[in-house]
């Protein structure tokens, strides 16, 4: 049975003992309801590090009023079984009380990178994410931490925090894992009806269409975005929250996709907010 560690001090003691014995430590932070996307991060951590810790914590700080904190899927025992199949040395699953004891008052934020896209739609979300990731990194003290590219803005914010505040950890960002029909895996896909799920395929279709346009030589952002938008709006059924082509390092809008651009999109399907992204081009041009 994979041990479940509930206390911050206990987690730090365990991590220090492993590292003191010379083991490299990999860390995968999650909110649970694990799917193949998380498991691909676990496998990468396993391949790279002698010990692997996963955290499972539905972080109240990153949910706004009226968001899905209460109904966010939780299945610790199911997650434990999935983790046993890929190999994991400890699950760090603290309570909100343990993570945010009375008097907790310090937060980490990046107003500039969090001002747009997910940050604009979900005020306070990235402050909650950065605060919990900072705390988790201090508690677990890993050598390497693994994140998914599906949450591209989150991954950029975490990389920026780690660089700006000199956290002694390497951040690895791994590609989005998709269902065979193209839908990016997300714990929130569980909210979709069969019919909603079919409509949600508009997101990955939009990325594929923009990629094809790019492969044909199109570099103008306006044309690439128009192609993606056509796919999102036809057939109707998705409500587009944002669609943009940005510099992957700054999230500033691009006019041309040269040499690379990150196509970001978000849409709502029956009230469920879904995000996806694709890198167009390669740094070599
Ligand atoms: O991506 C997630 O699941 C969460 O935002 C994270 C990084 C575990 C922080 O709560």
């Amino acid at each position: 049975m994979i041990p479940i560690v509930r206390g911050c001090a206990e987690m730090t003691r365990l991590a220090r003992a492993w590292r003191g014995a010379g083991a490299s430590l990999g860390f995968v932070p999650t909110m649970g309801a694990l799917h193949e996307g998380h498991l691909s991060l676990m496998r990468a951590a396993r391949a790279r590090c002698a010990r692997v810790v996963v955290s499972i914590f539905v972080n109240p700080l990153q949910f706004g009023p009226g968001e899905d904190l209460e109904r966010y899927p939780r299945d610790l025992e199911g997650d434990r079984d999935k983790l046993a199949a890929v190999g994991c040395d400890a699950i760090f699953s603290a309570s909100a009380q343990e993570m945010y004891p009375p008097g907790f008052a310090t937060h980490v934020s990046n107003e500039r990178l969090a001002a747009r896209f997910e940050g604009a739609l979900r005020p306070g979300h990235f402050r909650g994410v950065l605060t919990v990731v900072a705390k988790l990194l201090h508690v677990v003290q890993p050598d390497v931490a693994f994140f998914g590219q599906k949450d591209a803005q989150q991954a950029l914010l975490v990389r920026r925090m780690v660089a700006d505040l000199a956290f002694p950890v390497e951040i690895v960002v791994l590609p989005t894992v998709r269902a065979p029909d193209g839908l990016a895996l997300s714990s929130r896909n569980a909210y979709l009806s069969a019919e909603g799920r079919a409509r949600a395929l508009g997101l990955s279709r939009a990325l594929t269409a923009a990629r094809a346009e790019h492969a044909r030589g199109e570099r103008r952002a306006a044309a690439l975005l128009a192609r993606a938008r056509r796919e999102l709006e036809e057939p109707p059924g998705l409500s587009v929250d944002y669609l943009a082509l940005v510099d992957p390092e700054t999230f500033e809008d691009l006019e041309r996709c040269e040499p690379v651009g990150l196509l970001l999109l978000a849409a709502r399907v029956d009230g469920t907010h879904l995000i996806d992204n694709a890198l167009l081009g390669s740094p070599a041009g």
Side-chain angles (χ1 to χ4, degrees):
M1 273 292 218
I2 304 170
I4 298 181
V5 180
R6 304 275 184 187
C8 292
E10 187 192 348
M11 185 65 247
T12 304
R13 265 198 307 278
L14 187 59
R16 284 206 177 131
W18 285 334
R19 293 187 63 189
S24 56
L25 181 56
F27 176 48
V28 180
T30 80
M31 299 207 299
L34 302 180
H35 51 65
E36 261 308 308
H38 300 111
L39 300 182
S40 74
L41 303 182
M42 287 297 301
R43 288 190 197 97
R46 238 323 25 124
R48 174 87 194 266
C49 303
R51 298 281 188 174
V52 179
V53 172
V54 60
S55 63
I56 296 183
F57 176 58
V58 183
N59 174 32
L61 273 193
Q62 69 189 73
F63 289 79
E67 289 190 10
D68 55 343
L69 173 62
E70 301 309 327
R71 74 170 183 137
Y72 196 85
R74 289 163 173 86
D75 178 17
L76 187 56
E77 281 316 311
D79 288 344
R80 201 186 203 177
D81 292 342
K82 289 178 194 159
L83 290 167
V86 293
C88 170
D89 296 286
I91 298 172
F92 177 49
S93 186
S95 63
Q97 178 78 11
E98 174 73 10
M99 290 297 282
Y100 306 122
F104 183 96
T106 305
H107 296 87
V108 183
S109 63
N110 176 335
E111 274 98 42
R112 185 169 53 81
L113 284 181
R116 304 184 66 196
F117 309 119
E118 288 306 289
L121 285 174
R122 306 179 65 191
H125 170 67
F126 285 125
R127 181 178 186 256
V129 169
L130 290 182
T131 302
V132 81
V133 171
K135 182 152 187 173
L136 290 167
L137 290 175
H138 284 307
V139 169
V140 179
Q141 303 185 1
D143 298 291
V144 195
F146 297 80
F147 292 81
Q149 173 63 19
K150 190 185 79 73
D151 295 299
Q153 196 174 7
Q154 166 174 287
L156 176 63
L157 276 152
V158 168
R159 286 200 290 116
R160 194 69 261 164
M161 174 183 76
V162 162
D164 288 350
L165 303 182
F167 281 50
V169 63
E170 178 187 340
I171 301 299
V172 171
V173 180
L174 291 169
T176 303
V177 177
R178 297 179 182 282
D181 58 10
L183 186 67
L185 297 190
S186 160
S187 306
R188 289 195 168 94
N189 291 349
Y191 300 150
L192 299 172
S193 63
E195 192 257 334
R197 198 185 175 295
R199 278 185 284 137
L201 292 179
L203 278 89
S204 51
R205 269 206 323 270
L207 296 179
T208 305
R211 256 207 201 98
E213 206 64 21
H214 181 271
R216 279 194 284 275
E218 183 58 79
R219 295 294 180 267
R220 293 168 303 160
L224 292 164
L225 291 171
R227 183 68 194 88
R229 184 170 288 276
R230 250 200 345 267
E231 214 58 50
L232 281 170
E233 291 180 346
E234 277 307 321
L238 287 176
S239 154
V240 180
D241 284 325
Y242 58 79
L243 171 63
L245 185 77
V246 299
D247 178 319
E249 290 304 317
T250 63
F251 273 41
E252 304 285 349
D253 288 315
L254 292 175
E255 290 204 347
R256 293 185 62 80
C257 188
E258 275 165 348
V260 290
L262 185 65
L263 188 62
L264 292 176
L265 53 84
R268 263 165 300 124
V269 182
D270 299 336
T272 297
H273 175 67
L274 299 173
I275 60 176
D276 207 342
N277 67 84
L279 189 69
L280 304 184
S282 68

